[in-house]
Amino acid sequence: MRVTQDISIRYIRLEDYPEVLELAKYTVKVVLPDKSFEEEKIEALFQTALNNELFAGIVLVIDAEIKGFILGHVTEHYFHSTKLAYCMAIFVKEDSRKYGLEMLKAFESWGKYMKADTLCISTFHNLSPRYLNKLYKKLGYTEKEIVHWKETYIVTGK
């Protein structure tokens, strides 16, 4: 017997917030395990994606459950006027990863609609499976920037 699923990839809606919040909590726990989750940050980003045309929130919905999300925005590059569609976060639950490519294509379509010259994706090493770099390359992405982090500790007046 074949099981059919109701699958859609669409822009976020206000009622999606609780499920996107849970996915974001999980993502932060994996990516930055030594940092506390600040719900007001994801809520602000979510609201911005809902209300600012330069931001996009895209969700993967399978059988009425959100299984993945993308949050991104359009901006000019900081050194020149190239318009970038920047995917800040993309996450898909492991059982639904086969739909991640379609989510990325939805983001790319949005970026093209927004007249972005360049599409960018940011990923974390400990969240992205190793095959993603090969997939991105196959899709035409090239590595242009590597970001290094160093934790600093600000000394207070104590």
Side-chain angles (χ1 to χ4, degrees), residues 32-46:
L32 301 168
D34 59 333
K35 302 290 183 191
S36 61
F37 182 78
E38 297 178 45
E39 183 175 342
E40 63 275 5
K41 298 283 188 180
I42 190 67
E43 184 175 5
L45 187 55
F46 185 89

